[in-house]
Amino acid sequence: MTSTLIELTRELVAVPSHEDPTAAGDRIEAWLREETAARVRRDAVGNVIARKRRGGDAVADGTGDSRSLALVGHHDVVPPDESQVRDGLANTDPDASESTPEYVVEERNGRIYGRGAADMKGAVAAAMLAFREVTPPEGCELVFASFVGEEVGGVGARHAIEEGFAPDHAVVCEGSTNYSKPGVTDVVVAHRGRRGITVTAHGVASHASEPAAGENAIYRATDAIDRVRDLEFPAVDVAGETLSGSVVVTEIDGGSAINVVPEQCSFTVDERTVPGERADLEALAEIPDVEWTIDQDLPPMECEDEAFADAVLSAARESQPNDPEFVTKPHATDAGWLSEAGTECVICGPSEPGEAHTKDESVSIAVLERCQETYRRLAGSWPR
């Protein structure tokens, strides 16, 4: 099992997918068609979705009477560091003169290094192998999905949902390792979302020598910033801990010249949201000539199906020597979009805090094995 998991992880990590995830999706699709009898579909944006039921009677669109469990990942990645890329031939034509970047993949000290190893092609490989190995219980459809565009706001997940992707339950294979303590892969039952906001204050320009003749947009913007600083952070209690939101001003831009009273000033706000709660931005409406737009709104997630969460935790416990726990995660994932659409989600995967998106990104082979076994045990027994 280990050699196959290492080989597949290395193969997926080597495929560049920060600008265009097509080639990585091609490899995932081809592997699923070659290695499984599932119904495999590639949708219009490049998501790869495979389905199977006992007896091989899979459905293509999620309709039917089966209860469904999905193993969910994504095969797009953030741009690599220069050290994670090398030049390789663009094709096998010996006369080819152009080259395209290839990702550097290395294996050492029990880990696989490379862009996307942790976030999250290693987890995708583990889920693919578990999907191949398992015949789902009677009355249950097993789904594998690898989305595009997770790193840019959940483009693939949102498209799939719009097209009818609606599993009853899902394990999103993002990172949950070393959250409660070192050496353990936990089960995330809630995470924060993110709302990105641009606030614009309007004023009236005048010469700086006659400030009373104008209305200073920067002053109005700073009044609005004071309101943002006074906003209460929402918080909810989940998994025995408090999941708190936050609101912070991150950028500001205003003015046109050193001797002109500014007629416009804008600033951005990063709000981390929690399930069911948002900061009260209506407080900004009390300031004249101030408006705001929402630039990004990634939903939070909370699993409300205790039986499902318990089943995932049980599978995780049976797959490792240490004792995993229910935990929360500080940032948004595709689980938020699925949860918002009605799928009960948890997160369980190999990536560790601080590992993704780094120039020395890596994933533990032992933890990949642990996750593959967790997915296999769950998929073979749910629903109980």
Side-chain angles (χ1 to χ4, degrees):
M1 179 175 72
T2 301
S3 61
T4 303
L5 179 56
I6 293 172
E7 179 182 349
L8 184 57
T9 298
R10 292 183 61 119
E11 185 175 350
L12 294 181
V13 172
V15 182
S17 56
H18 62 284
E19 293 180 338
D20 183 355
T22 300
D26 288 344
R27 182 62 193 120
I28 293 169
E29 179 185 8
W31 188 94
L32 289 166
R33 293 188 186 280
E34 293 166 3
E35 297 289 334
T36 76
R39 181 79 62 86
V40 182
R41 177 173 176 262
R42 189 78 166 274
D43 69 18
V45 299
N47 296 321
V48 184
I49 300 172
R51 302 175 181 273
K52 65 180 181 179
R53 293 191 294 187
R54 184 177 293 274
D57 183 20
V59 292
D61 59 2
T63 60
D65 296 330
S66 292
R67 296 184 65 185
S68 52
L69 169 67
L71 303 175
V72 177
H74 65 85
H75 52 276
D76 66 310
V77 300
V78 298
D81 183 78
E82 289 183 3
S83 65
Q84 295 171 317
V85 181
R86 63 166 168 259
D87 288 337
L89 290 180
N91 53 50
T92 57
D93 183 352
D95 297 324
S97 59
E98 296 183 358
S99 65
T100 55
E102 293 180 347
Y103 290 170
V104 176
V105 185
E106 298 178 348
E107 181 183 337
R108 61 182 186 273
N109 301 322
R111 300 182 73 89
I112 297 173
Y113 288 78
R115 171 56 80 227
D119 188 16
M120 59 174 305
K121 290 178 178 177
V124 169
M128 290 165 67
L129 290 168
F131 179 81
R132 181 184 68 176
E133 295 165 6
V134 171
T135 299
E138 194 71 39
C140 182
E141 180 184 44
L142 182 60
V143 184
F144 167 85
S146 188
F147 293 140
V148 300
E150 192 275 343
E151 301 290 1
V152 289
V155 172
R158 293 159 68 185
H159 177 84
I161 291 166
E162 290 171 359
E163 294 293 309
F165 185 82
D168 298 304
H169 299 89
V171 176
V172 176
C173 305
E174 293 277 8
S176 67
T177 298
N178 296 349
Y179 272 65
S180 66
K181 50 189 170 291
V184 62
T185 298
D186 295 300
V187 177
V188 175
V189 291
H191 71 54
R192 300 197 296 179
R194 177 187 185 272
R195 187 162 58 158
I197 302 148
T198 297
V199 180
T200 302
H202 301 280
V204 178
S206 69
H207 197 282
S209 65
E210 299 179 299
E215 294 288 346
N216 196 313
I218 289 179
Y219 292 168
R220 285 178 172 168
T222 56
D223 288 342
I225 289 172
D226 286 340
R227 297 294 178 92
V228 171
R229 293 177 66 181
D230 291 338
L231 290 175
E232 293 185 4
F233 301 163
V236 294
D237 292 328
V238 183
E241 60 183 271
T242 299
L243 185 63
S244 297
S246 62
V247 184
V248 61
V249 174
T250 53
E251 297 174 307
I252 189 165
D253 180 45
S256 58
I258 61 172
N259 59 349
V260 176
V261 171
E263 65 179 350
Q264 184 169 300
C265 181
S266 63
F267 62 92
T268 58
V269 177
D270 183 293
E271 178 192 359
R272 299 297 160 149
T273 61
V274 297
E277 300 288 343
R278 297 292 179 92
D280 183 17
L281 289 178
E282 294 302 320
L284 299 179
E286 300 173 4
I287 303 172
D289 297 312
V290 170
E291 60 186 13
W292 67 90
T293 58
I294 297 174
D295 306 313
Q296 185 184 63
D297 196 353
L298 307 179
M301 179 276 291
E302 180 178 5
C303 181
E304 297 182 349
D305 188 330
E306 293 184 5
F308 176 60
D310 286 341
V312 181
L313 187 64
S314 176
R317 281 178 174 153
E318 293 168 356
S319 303
Q320 58 189 307
N322 296 316
D323 191 23
E325 301 176 17
F326 289 137
V327 296
T328 63
K329 195 172 176 72
H331 52 265
T333 73
D334 278 342
W337 298 112
L338 294 170
S339 178
E340 184 179 64
T343 296
E344 290 287 352
C345 296
V346 298
I347 294 170
C348 185
S351 184
E352 305 158 28
E355 191 63 47
H357 301 188
T358 61
K359 65 181 180 180
D360 56 353
E361 178 179 352
S362 69
V363 66
S364 163
I365 294 169
V367 176
L368 286 178
E369 291 181 298
R370 176 191 304 168
C371 291
Q372 179 184 346
E373 180 64 11
T374 299
Y375 306 151
R376 188 192 67 78
R377 286 179 178 274
L378 176 70
S381 63
W382 180 263
R384 294 179 175 177

